Amino acid sequence: MSRTPVACVPEHVELTCYDEPTEDGTLTLVMQHPNRFGAFKACRKPLYLGEPRRENWSGYDANEVLGCCARLRTFDSIEHTLHVDEMLRQPWACKGLEWLTVQIRGVSRLTDGEQIVVDRVMVPGYSGDLSVDEEAAVEKFERCQVQQHGVYDRLASLTRLKHLDLGYENRDPAIGRRREVERYEVGGKEYVRYNGPMFDTLEMSLASGLDRLGALKNLEMIGFECINHRIGRPELEWMAQSWRKLNLMYGLDKEPVQEAEPLREEFKEYFQKLQPDVVHGPLFMDEV
């Protein structure tokens, strides 16, 4: 592709991405003139992640855009994925970013069994010899911590950030109307069994380094819908104390899916007591 004259690219242009990469080499244009782009947005949001549709997003590399566009203020495309190891290998140029909506995947999260092992052996005073499986679990835990600390530090460097949304609904809200779907009962009520949260995502717990995001004093919105978080009361208390400008949260409000989520409701109620002015928004409105 021939180089596009700089005069043909207006400064602070908003780049809109459609379902398929355009044939005119849009990403190449961004790479050629990175300081001319102020926003990178998807043309529409999916109903849920994994929704059957034309998805050729590999034509756009989120890390490349964040790494080269110094004037970027908005990156808004939840169907783009930042793979954590690749993300941490390349510095970002967009220090003035104010809006970030993207998936961060590839975190080496522990399984429930591995977490039990780590909780047992990584306590003060433990002196037993570790088995091969125990050593592997500890090494994985340490790798996970390094990854998460790196991600939190990268995000914390974006001190102008106002909107940070790392999650999205990954459950098809219409699946409950299908006869063949698997169901279960809790307290005499029937629920649909969906896929679990996106496993290889951030823990967002204080133990994983969440407090490294204390530098985000301008944060007004946080989203963690369907990521594999371990947010509990201590984390909610920390958010209420650290993000004083917060006014919108996605991740605790009940979505129109037929699933038992008692902790979700409990934590929403608790956070409302801590920060009564924060709105808890559902991702779905009238689409279903």
Side-chain angles (χ1 to χ4, degrees), residues 15-18 20-22 26-27 40 56-62 65 80:
L15 178 63
T16 301
C17 298
Y18 296 88
E20 298 184 38
T22 57
T26 305
L27 184 59
F40 188 96
N56 290 305
W57 294 98
S58 58
Y60 300 101
D61 189 323
V65 174
H80 276 79

Side-chain angles (χ1 to χ4, degrees), residues 1-98:
M1 175 181 172
S2 60
R3 291 183 65 85
T4 302
V6 175
C8 296
V9 185
E11 291 194 19
H12 303 291
V13 68
E14 179 177 304
L15 178 63
T16 301
C17 298
Y18 296 88
D19 288 354
E20 298 184 38
T22 57
E23 296 179 358
D24 60 357
T26 305
L27 184 59
T28 302
L29 185 63
V30 174
M31 297 300 108
Q32 289 176 354
H33 310 296
N35 291 331
R36 299 249 165 178
F37 292 91
F40 188 96
K41 294 184 177 182
C43 65
R44 77 172 182 90
K45 292 187 176 181
L47 182 59
Y48 61 95
L49 293 178
E51 174 188 5
R53 48 175 296 195
R54 294 179 301 172
E55 293 186 27
N56 290 305
W57 294 98
S58 58
Y60 300 101
D61 189 323
N63 207 47
E64 289 293 332
V65 174
L66 294 165
C68 75
C69 296
R71 295 188 179 184
L72 199 69
R73 296 294 178 267
T74 298
F75 189 98
D76 183 7
S77 182
I78 196 60
E79 289 183 288
H80 276 79
T81 298
L82 293 170
H83 293 278
V84 60
D85 292 335
E86 178 184 348
M87 168 186 172
L88 297 179
R89 278 195 293 267
Q90 177 179 337
W92 288 354
C94 53
K95 297 301 183 182
L97 199 68
E98 297 178 359

Side-chain angles (χ1 to χ4, degrees), residues 83-232:
H83 293 278
V84 60
D85 292 335
E86 178 184 348
M87 168 186 172
L88 297 179
R89 278 195 293 267
Q90 177 179 337
W92 288 354
C94 53
K95 297 301 183 182
L97 199 68
E98 297 178 359
W99 182 301
L100 180 60
T101 298
V102 72
Q103 295 180 65
I104 298 178
R105 306 291 296 271
V107 181
S108 299
R109 294 292 301 276
L110 302 181
T111 64
D112 291 342
E114 290 168 334
Q115 186 67 56
I116 292 173
V117 170
V118 168
D119 290 343
R120 185 181 71 249
V121 303
M122 295 191 68
V123 294
Y126 184 86
S127 59
D129 294 331
L130 300 183
S131 67
V132 173
D133 289 343
E134 289 171 337
E135 287 183 353
V138 170
E139 290 176 1
K140 186 176 180 182
F141 167 77
E142 292 173 344
R143 182 169 65 252
C144 181
Q145 289 294 91
V146 169
Q147 289 177 321
Q148 294 190 94
H149 288 175
V151 172
Y152 294 138
D153 288 344
R154 175 67 58 85
L155 296 176
S157 71
L158 307 174
T159 55
R160 297 183 182 179
L161 206 61
K162 298 179 180 179
H163 181 112
L164 178 59
D165 196 355
L166 305 177
Y168 202 75
E169 183 60 70
N170 69 340
R171 299 167 292 186
D172 179 357
I175 198 172
R177 295 195 289 266
R178 301 173 189 170
R179 293 182 179 179
E180 66 276 12
V181 70
E182 184 180 353
R183 301 176 186 274
Y184 64 99
E185 285 191 7
V186 174
K189 294 184 179 180
E190 187 177 79
Y191 298 94
V192 173
R193 191 174 301 282
Y194 298 87
N195 293 329
M198 296 178 283
F199 182 75
D200 58 339
T201 47
L202 292 172
E203 188 173 309
M204 293 192 70
S205 67
L206 292 173
S208 71
L210 178 67
D211 56 347
R212 292 169 181 251
L213 297 184
L216 301 182
K217 300 300 184 184
N218 294 309
L219 200 65
E220 297 176 2
M221 182 276 178
I222 184 69
F224 47 86
E225 182 67 54
C226 283
I227 75 170
N228 190 27
H229 68 77
R230 300 185 71 189
I231 295 174

